[in-house]
Amino acid sequence: NAGVTQTPKFQVLKTGQSMTLQCAQDMNHEYMSWYRQDPGMGLRLIHYSVGAGITDQGEVPNGYNVSRSTTEDFPLRLLSAAPSQTSVYFCASSSGGVGNQPQHFGDGTRLSIL
Amino acid sequence: AQTVTQSQPEMSVQEAETVTLSCTYDTSESDYYLFWYKQPPSRQMILVIRQEAYKQQNATENRFSVNFQKAAKSFSLKISDSQLGDAAMYFCAYRSAGYSGAGSYQLTFGKGTKLSVIP
């Protein structure tokens, strides 16, 4: 029972490089989302998806792209990495329909941009 | 937009004692959900307890309980018989009960309270 799997766990990039953070869930959850966690801050929503083919922006979407071609996968793309994107990134999923369904989080990806 | 405030950046508790973490929130909605998440040094986000706003009864999960005061928009977490494994960051989070749009799913987090447990 894998739950939400994020890869990689750690990554160091140079400014201007691009990369994709992977997220996969095996719970057939409709809703998936990406958050970033910065020191002294709670988690902030970057992008979310309510189902395959449907994505939308959250609170801090600039500099990130997402797509949802399957129910299971929700990758997050950094097109041109900037030092301000140094953060810990969490992917989460939940079943849709009612707000009290808990979100299941991955173990996070620590990303450093030099 | 909703906001969540955790006014205690750090707290400590003696092992086996009780500690209460504070959380207040601001919303114009009448129906919503509140959560406490625990983040140990392993970085995992672990759901501790959740509360539906329409329920007057406070949620309880083993040693964890909440004091939900809807009129005061307060949602504190009480940890009884504290254990060394309770040491972690604790995040309070809000989620709308709406059935469409980002608010249905988005969690709005507070900045967290770092809890230390003293042996």
Side-chain angles (χ1 to χ4, degrees):
Chain A
N1 191 4
V4 179
T5 302
Q6 288 184 240
T7 55
K9 294 191 183 306
F10 303 93
Q11 184 70 46
V12 178
L13 292 178
K14 295 181 179 179
T15 298
Q17 286 185 315
S18 63
M19 84 158 293
T20 300
L21 307 186
Q22 301 291 344
C23 176
Q25 53 93 7
D26 60 0
M27 298 171 282
N28 201 32
H29 283 167
E30 298 160 12
Y31 177 71
M32 296 185 74
S33 56
W34 278 100
Y35 291 85
R36 61 177 288 173
Q37 182 180 23
D38 300 300
M41 306 282 289
L43 279 68
R44 293 180 293 168
L45 184 66
I46 304 171
H47 284 286
Y48 69 97
S49 168
V50 298
I54 306 170
T55 64
D56 207 344
Q57 298 179 350
E59 181 184 354
V60 287
N62 293 339
Y64 307 95
N65 276 357
V66 292
S67 60
R68 185 95 178 269
S69 57
T70 67
T71 300
E72 295 77 19
D73 301 300
F74 190 46
L76 178 72
R77 297 184 185 86
L78 283 72
L79 301 178
S80 179
S84 62
Q85 294 177 304
T86 294
S87 188
V88 178
Y89 292 84
F90 287 93
C91 179
S93 74
S94 68
S95 57
V98 291
N100 70 336
Q101 295 302 315
Q103 294 201 26
H104 299 260
F105 286 86
D107 290 342
T109 295
R110 182 176 294 277
L111 184 61
S112 296
I113 315 295
L114 304 178
Chain B
Q2 295 80 23
T3 59
V4 177
T5 302
Q6 294 179 248
S7 59
Q8 306 150 315
E10 296 187 26
M11 292 195 70
S12 62
V13 62
Q14 206 78 28
E15 195 175 3
E17 296 296 310
T18 296
V19 64
T20 298
L21 308 184
S22 300
C23 173
T24 59
Y25 57 94
D26 187 24
T27 183
S28 59
E29 299 176 330
S30 59
D31 200 11
Y32 48 86
Y33 302 94
L34 297 165
F35 304 85
W36 279 99
Y37 278 88
K38 170 185 177 182
Q39 187 180 43
S42 66
R43 207 169 65 198
Q44 290 178 299
M45 293 291 290
I46 302 166
L47 178 66
V48 175
I49 198 166
R50 56 183 162 173
Q51 174 81 41
E52 291 88 345
Y54 62 86
K55 289 186 177 179
Q56 292 185 344
Q57 186 173 5
N58 290 324
T60 299
E61 290 286 344
N62 300 314
R63 299 183 293 108
F64 299 88
S65 61
V66 298
N67 183 6
F68 174 49
Q69 300 290 328
K70 190 173 184 178
K73 296 180 182 176
S74 171
F75 182 60
S76 61
L77 175 70
K78 186 172 81 171
I79 306 174
S80 304
D81 186 25
S82 296
Q83 301 175 359
L84 295 178
D86 295 333
M89 284 289 290
Y90 286 82
F91 292 97
C92 179
Y94 172 103
R95 190 178 191 183
S96 172
Y99 292 92
S100 63
S104 307
Y105 306 95
Q106 175 180 344
L107 286 170
T108 299
F109 286 87
K111 293 184 178 182
T113 296
K114 183 177 182 180
L115 178 67
S116 301
V117 180
I118 304 166

